[in-house]
Amino acid sequence: MSIAKTIILFALAAVAEIGGAWLIWQAVREDKAWWWAGLGIIALGAYGFIAAMQADANFGRVLAAYGGVFIAGSLVWGMIVDKFTPDRWDIIGALVALAGVSIIMFAPRPV
């Protein structure tokens, strides 16, 4: 699988998981209608299918790497949707996590 396809799948997975969790948060914490939570559950289910489309056959590796994408994606979501302003430590932490993603997913391995 190409690096571009891997990145696109991680980005789609992040939108589905973070968006789904945000929708449930809105229903539970912000008193939105119950169907917001229902949409969140659907989005979280979609996340599971998207993550399963990664070429690497190792569930643990894919999910470990996705954890770093989730960290960075959550900060970006917060900036766009909730007008959150990350501080330098948030940004440094996200960059370290993305470096970890790159090592986990793209390091040369024997076939």
Side-chain angles (χ1 to χ4, degrees):
M1 177 181 287
S2 71
I3 292 174
K5 188 171 180 184
T6 298
I7 292 169
I8 289 167
L9 285 173
F10 274 144
L12 291 172
V15 169
E17 185 182 20
I18 297 163
W22 182 84
L23 286 164
I24 293 171
W25 179 283
Q26 293 301 304
V28 173
R29 302 278 303 257
E30 305 295 333
D31 296 321
K32 301 286 186 185
W34 64 269
W35 54 266
W36 284 57
L39 291 174
I41 291 167
I42 292 168
L44 289 168
Y47 153 73
F49 283 98
I50 295 166
M53 294 171 66
Q54 289 287 1
D56 194 303
N58 297 290
F59 174 81
R61 179 178 294 143
V62 170
L63 269 286
Y66 173 69
V69 174
F70 181 83
I71 291 167
S74 295
L75 292 173
V76 171
W77 183 280
M79 291 168 54
I80 294 169
V81 177
D82 293 327
K83 308 302 181 224
F84 167 74
T85 303
D87 63 23
R88 69 176 172 205
W89 301 111
D90 295 324
I91 294 167
I92 291 168
L95 291 173
V96 168
L98 290 174
V101 171
S102 297
I103 293 167
I104 291 170
M105 291 303 293
F106 306 125
R109 290 189 171 85
V111 213

